[in-house]
């Protein structure tokens, strides 16, 4: 653990270790030796991948970011008054754009105390923390550099005599996890909740497949570049020799599972050496590598997930077009 004390009201602790650096190696070793090749989506997000994702969020086809922001603007006051919250714990905080809306509502309500962002990117977290304490006088930030799949136990507990907390997982990130893992993760997040605390969860909703598929296969090809970026990451980190342009971007809505699937399809036979792992991998022409699932929800399905995770839905907010939902849930 390393502590980087900045000004008095910003504290940042890092829990990333060698085990986290090995996570790409282990995921690639597992994923590329399976009969149906697969790499988990968490490895998209190096500096270039994060930048491509930010561009995706501004694409006309990619509605989730705008829809979620609309809900936050419309409902932050209700969320804060309903919970009485003065603390926001955000899992995967990134640039903290969405947090700012909730923190502003807490500030207006006079309850604002602390922001606890958890993110793998120290640079993004530190920049956001400094901006926010500048913006809100009464705010202190306790940042946690880590991976919310491994480091939830590092989230600081509620302050003594503390205020209710909102634990937020926004952007539809929960959709990246297949159903069993999703329920396990929701249960672990639930363990952070005291009786008066609430989970705030962002989920994309089931809709016309043409709208969904366009959001993951934009006309400018930004999502295609984002998808292929995982090959650049593997090349750099594990000394592999993927030729990213030899792979075609695929995105389709799987109606049975109600999720978007992204894949990379080899345009021709490819023999890839992952030197860092001493691994040679063959792709047949047309063979596909799954790089992401992004689940789309209905209210009943989400309620079933909550229940299986020991949680219960309290309140449900959507945008005007019913594209995206924010849920407030409590621990049972
Ligand atoms: C960041 C996981 C919410 O699933 O919509 C965007 C990632 N992938 N375009 C999503 C993503 C392709 C995004 N999440």
């Amino acid at each position: 653990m390393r502590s980087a004390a900045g000004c008095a009201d910003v504290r940042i602790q890092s829990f990333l270790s060698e085990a986290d650096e090995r996570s790409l190696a282990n995921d690639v070793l597992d994923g590329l030796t399976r009969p149906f090749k697969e790499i988990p989506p968490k490895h998209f997000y190096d500096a270039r991948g994060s930048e491509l994702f930010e561009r995706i969020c501004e694409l006309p086809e990619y509605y989730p970011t705008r829809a979620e922001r609309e809900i936050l603007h419309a409902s932050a006051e209700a969320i804060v008054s309903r919970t009485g919250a003065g603390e926001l714990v955000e899992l995967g905080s990134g640039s903290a754009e969405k947090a700012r809306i909730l923190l502003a509502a807490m500030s207006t309500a006079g309850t604002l105390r602390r922001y606890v962002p958890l993110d793998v990117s120290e640079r993004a977290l530190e920049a956001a923390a400094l901006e926010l304490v500048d913006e809100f006088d009464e705010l202190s930030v306790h940042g946690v550099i880590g991976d919310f799949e491994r480091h939830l136990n590092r989230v600081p507990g509620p302050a003594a005599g503390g205020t209710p907390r909102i634990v937020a997982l926004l952007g539809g990130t929960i959709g990246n996890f297949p159903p069993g893992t999703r329920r396990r993760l929701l249960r672990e997040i639930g363990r952070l909740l005291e009786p008066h605390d609430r989970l705030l969860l962002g989920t994309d909703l089931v809709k016309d497949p043409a709208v969904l598929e366009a959001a993951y296969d934009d006309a400018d090809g930004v999502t295609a570049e984002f998808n292929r970026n995982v090959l650049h990451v593997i090349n750099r980190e594990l000394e592999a020799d993927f030729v990213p342009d030899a792979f075609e971007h695929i995105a389709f809505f799987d109606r049975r599972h109600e999720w978007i699937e992204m894949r990379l399809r080899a345009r021709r036979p490819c023999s890839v050496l992952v030197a860092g792992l001493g691994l040679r991998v063959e792709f047949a022409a047309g063979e596909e590598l799954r790089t992401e699932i992004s689940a789309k929800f209905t209210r009943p399905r989400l309620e079933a997930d909550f229940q299986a995770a020991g949680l219960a839905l309290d309140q449900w907010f959507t945008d005007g077009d019913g594209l995206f939902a924010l849920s407030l849930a409590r621990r049972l």
Side-chain angles (χ1 to χ4, degrees):
M1 185 193 93
R2 197 167 56 74
S3 286
C7 33
D9 32 16
V10 175
R11 174 172 179 211
I12 296 175
Q13 292 181 298
S14 178
F15 298 99
L16 290 180
S17 65
E18 271 168 61
D20 300 286
E21 281 159 30
R22 279 196 301 272
S23 111
L24 175 69
N26 290 336
D27 288 347
V28 168
L29 189 53
D30 270 1
L32 295 188
T33 55
R34 279 189 193 140
F36 187 169
K37 297 180 176 73
E38 175 165 30
I39 303 290
K42 65 191 274 198
H43 302 300
F44 283 132
Y45 301 93
D46 65 348
R48 178 168 180 267
S50 302
E51 206 176 288
L52 286 166
F53 178 65
E54 298 214 337
R55 279 175 60 197
I56 288 173
C57 292
E58 283 162 22
L59 292 170
E61 296 95 332
Y62 193 77
Y63 60 84
T65 310
R66 282 185 297 277
E68 188 181 48
R69 195 184 308 132
E70 176 190 323
I71 305 168
L72 279 170
H73 278 296
S75 311
E77 198 188 320
I79 291 167
V80 169
S81 69
R82 172 106 184 177
T83 56
E87 178 165 330
L88 175 65
V89 177
E90 188 179 19
L91 308 176
S93 47
S95 64
E97 257 344 293
K98 303 159 190 171
R100 174 173 279 111
I101 304 171
L102 291 162
L103 296 173
M106 291 179 192
S107 181
T108 304
T111 54
L112 181 62
R113 302 271 287 273
R114 185 164 72 154
Y115 176 44
V116 179
L118 185 155
D119 204 276
V120 286
S121 168
E122 173 150 26
R123 193 184 297 195
L125 192 150
E126 191 176 4
L130 293 175
E131 269 182 39
L132 289 168
V133 290
D134 205 45
E135 201 168 319
F136 301 103
D137 283 343
E138 67 275 48
L139 182 69
S140 68
V141 177
H142 186 155
V144 177
I145 313 296
D147 176 343
F148 62 72
E149 286 180 78
R150 291 168 37 84
H151 298 115
L152 282 184
N153 58 347
R154 303 297 194 166
V155 170
T163 163
R165 306 209 282 183
I166 290 173
V167 178
L169 180 58
L170 300 174
T173 304
I174 191 68
N176 275 170
F177 300 94
T181 307
R182 178 196 306 155
R183 290 178 172 188
R184 237 181 338 259
L185 182 61
L186 286 173
R187 182 174 288 276
E188 282 164 22
I189 295 171
R191 293 206 182 94
L192 296 173
L193 302 177
E194 300 291 326
H196 54 282
D197 297 339
R198 294 292 179 267
L199 168 65
L200 183 67
L201 185 70
T203 49
D204 196 10
L205 299 177
V206 172
K207 60 183 63 63
D208 180 353
V211 173
L212 285 168
E213 288 176 354
Y216 291 83
D217 193 8
D218 62 281
D220 283 352
V222 182
T223 309
E225 254 336 283
F226 173 75
N227 195 3
R228 282 189 282 266
N229 190 56
V230 74
L231 303 182
H232 291 282
V233 170
I234 297 169
N235 281 350
R236 186 186 62 238
E237 298 296 324
L238 301 173
E239 298 156 84
D241 62 358
F242 275 105
V243 177
D245 286 336
F247 289 82
E248 181 190 356
H249 168 67
I250 306 285
F252 65 95
F253 184 56
D254 178 330
R255 290 166 197 247
R256 187 163 56 93
H257 293 115
E258 297 186 315
W259 66 45
I260 282 279
E261 215 170 297
M262 293 208 317
R263 299 182 180 181
L264 291 166
R265 179 188 288 159
R267 298 182 203 269
R268 48 179 188 267
C270 298
S271 177
V272 178
L273 178 67
V274 188
L277 296 172
L279 177 71
R280 161 109 16 220
V281 185
E282 309 293 340
F283 285 84
E287 187 174 344
E288 296 176 354
L289 164 67
R290 183 160 78 173
T291 51
E292 182 169 51
I293 64 162
S294 184
K296 307 306 165 191
F297 293 81
T298 58
R299 183 170 168 163
R301 276 243 335 267
L302 186 60
E303 283 178 311
D305 284 338
F306 279 147
Q307 205 196 354
L311 299 166
L313 180 67
D314 246 14
Q315 225 181 342
W316 168 264
F317 304 90
T318 65
D319 55 292
D321 297 321
L323 299 173
F324 196 93
L326 280 185
S327 299
L328 270 180
R330 66 192 152 80
R331 188 174 178 176
L332 281 176

